[in-house]
Amino acid sequence: MATTDPSKYKFNHTMLRIKDPKKTLAFYELLGMSQVNKFEFPDNKFDLYFLAYDSPKAASHANHWTDREGIIELTHNYGTETDDNYKPHNGNKSPQGFGHVCISVDNIQAACKRISDAGYKFQKKLEDGRMRHIAFALDPDEYWVEIIAQNPVDKTENVHETDTQTYRMNHTMIRVKDKDASIAFYQDILGMQLKRTSENESAGFNLYFLGYGPPADGSSANGVNPSATKEGLLELTWNYGTEKQEGKVYHDGNAEPQGFGHICVSVDDLDAACARLEEKKVNWKKRLTDGRMKNVAFVLDPDGYWIEVIQNEKYKQGSKY
């Protein structure tokens, strides 16, 4: 009987719906990402673009797209680029749910200047507010893209040099109602490890960073974030007291208004992994046996966010990869 080892799982991608692929691809390419796969579905009138860091300096250089972490999947439904009424929901305006994706960079001043010089807007510039070590850029659909530093923030403000080949797609943030339920789900059900906790009692919220791979060594690369050079982290934002609210608190991005779609985990053995999930009594959105697509499944986390489960081709029997 086939078995599955959650330590081999990867937080493969985060899916966002977009209006105009040309504009959005240009933005993420400016950030150093490149297209590592594309699926076209003309009969269903949508395309999927998979973007990742793939330079020789990248964490997953030349890996098969299923054997990576930190991919951004862009979903384009034909015709939205010419529809004046279409605008994806960024998850930060009401109703809230998904928060942002995050890119870690070598020189945050230079990186932010480069983005600004290219004509893109910011939700928060480095100099705004008290937190001078992070910024939030806006992509063409106004999704928030957090920019964090991999290295100590340069007090001399050398804004001239940055190497996009060293960037990482560090994490994806979603808001959760009940931290204990969500942490237990991602640890016990999906096999992630809690890598880092950031408690912000004065502001009434905590951040929990989970992911796969070896445990964080606890050292801090930039004086603030010990996991800034990693890819494939999931940030759970818990606002104090939401666990006491009745019913669903956060928007999953798939009900209207649509924007964020899902996160995706690639696994060593898809059938065995889904059998394990069945034993764990997960809430299914789509089992492997449902519908025409027999190579993907979707489970629901405690807040109703969709989690796609796919086969990592590296582990597929007979794979040439």
Side-chain angles (χ1 to χ4, degrees):
M1 181 177 177
T3 59
T4 184
D5 179 0
S7 70
K8 295 179 179 177
Y9 294 5
K10 293 194 172 187
F11 177 11
N12 181 249
H13 70 254
T14 299
M15 187 275 262
L16 305 174
R17 296 175 177 89
I18 63 170
K19 179 182 177 74
D20 187 331
K22 289 183 179 179
K23 292 181 179 179
T24 302
L25 287 168
F27 173 83
Y28 287 102
E29 287 168 357
L30 178 79
L31 292 180
M33 303 188 88
S34 57
Q35 185 174 303
V36 294
N37 200 19
K38 180 183 179 183
F39 291 125
E40 299 180 352
F41 299 94
D43 292 344
N44 302 103
K45 297 184 178 180
F46 71 91
D47 292 338
L48 309 176
Y49 301 82
F50 293 82
L51 306 181
Y53 287 101
D54 197 36
S55 79
K57 298 178 182 179
S60 302
H61 171 60
N63 282 18
H64 190 275
W65 75 273
T66 61
D67 189 38
R68 292 174 177 267
E69 297 193 297
I71 291 177
I72 296 178
E73 175 190 353
L74 305 175
T75 294
H76 171 237
N77 294 294
Y78 298 177
T80 54
E81 68 276 17
T82 57
D83 183 352
D84 293 338
N85 296 317
Y86 180 78
K87 184 178 179 64
H89 180 66
N90 73 4
N92 293 298
K93 298 175 181 177
S94 183
Q96 290 188 324
F98 165 78
H100 60 261
V101 294
C102 173
I103 307 295
S104 68
V105 302
D106 58 345
N107 183 328
I108 196 165
Q109 290 93 345
C112 288
K113 183 177 187 301
R114 187 168 174 271
I115 295 167
S116 181
D117 287 350
Y120 295 106
K121 297 179 180 179
F122 281 77
Q123 178 67 28
K124 177 203 175 297
K125 295 183 177 181
L126 274 180
E127 61 269 23
D128 296 341
R130 291 178 299 173
M131 299 179 71
R132 302 300 175 93
H133 59 281
I134 63 170
F136 284 89
L138 294 174
D139 84 354
D141 291 297
E142 297 187 354
Y143 289 113
W144 294 16
V145 180
E146 185 178 11
I147 311 295
I148 63 173
Q150 296 174 0
N151 304 299
V153 176
D154 186 358
K155 303 301 182 184
T156 63
E157 298 191 1
N158 173 13
V159 298
H160 301 297
E161 297 181 4
T162 184
D163 181 2
T164 59
Q165 293 191 16
T166 65
Y167 292 9
R168 301 283 188 263
M169 214 302 272
N170 180 252
H171 70 255
T172 295
M173 186 276 265
I174 54 176
R175 298 173 177 90
V176 299
K177 173 182 177 176
D178 184 330
K179 67 176 177 63
D180 293 330
S182 293
I183 290 172
F185 173 86
Y186 284 102
Q187 285 185 314
D188 301 340
I189 307 298
L190 288 186
M192 291 184 176
Q193 301 171 11
L194 182 61
K195 303 290 189 181
R196 185 170 73 91
T197 298
S198 175
E199 297 183 353
N200 302 275
E201 188 173 351
S202 62
F205 71 91
N206 291 354
L207 309 177
Y208 303 92
F209 293 84
L210 298 101
Y212 298 107
D217 61 12
S219 63
S220 177
N222 63 356
V224 177
N225 184 348
S227 53
T229 58
K230 298 191 179 300
E231 286 191 324
L233 297 176
L234 178 66
E235 176 186 358
L236 306 180
T237 294
W238 171 61
N239 292 295
Y240 296 0
T242 52
E243 74 281 5
K244 300 174 184 176
Q245 296 181 28
E246 292 294 327
K248 189 172 181 177
V249 173
Y250 292 116
H251 179 62
D252 63 21
N254 292 299
E256 293 293 341
Q258 292 186 326
F260 162 79
H262 61 261
I263 60 174
C264 174
V265 173
S266 67
V267 299
D268 54 347
D269 187 294
L270 185 57
D271 290 324
C274 287
R276 177 181 173 275
L277 292 170
E278 187 73 49
E279 291 175 359
K280 295 281 189 179
K281 299 185 179 347
V282 299
N283 291 320
W284 293 96
K285 180 67 182 178
K286 178 201 174 299
R287 286 180 167 87
L288 277 180
T289 52
D290 296 340
R292 290 179 299 172
M293 297 181 68
K294 307 299 184 183
N295 59 344
V296 299
F298 284 87
V299 299
L300 300 175
D301 86 347
D303 289 280
Y305 294 114
W306 296 17
I307 301 152
E308 185 179 17
V309 185
I310 64 171
Q311 175 68 48
N312 182 337
E313 295 297 326
K314 174 182 177 179
Y315 297 107
K316 196 169 185 178
Q317 188 172 9
S319 173
K320 295 180 181 179
Y321 168 62

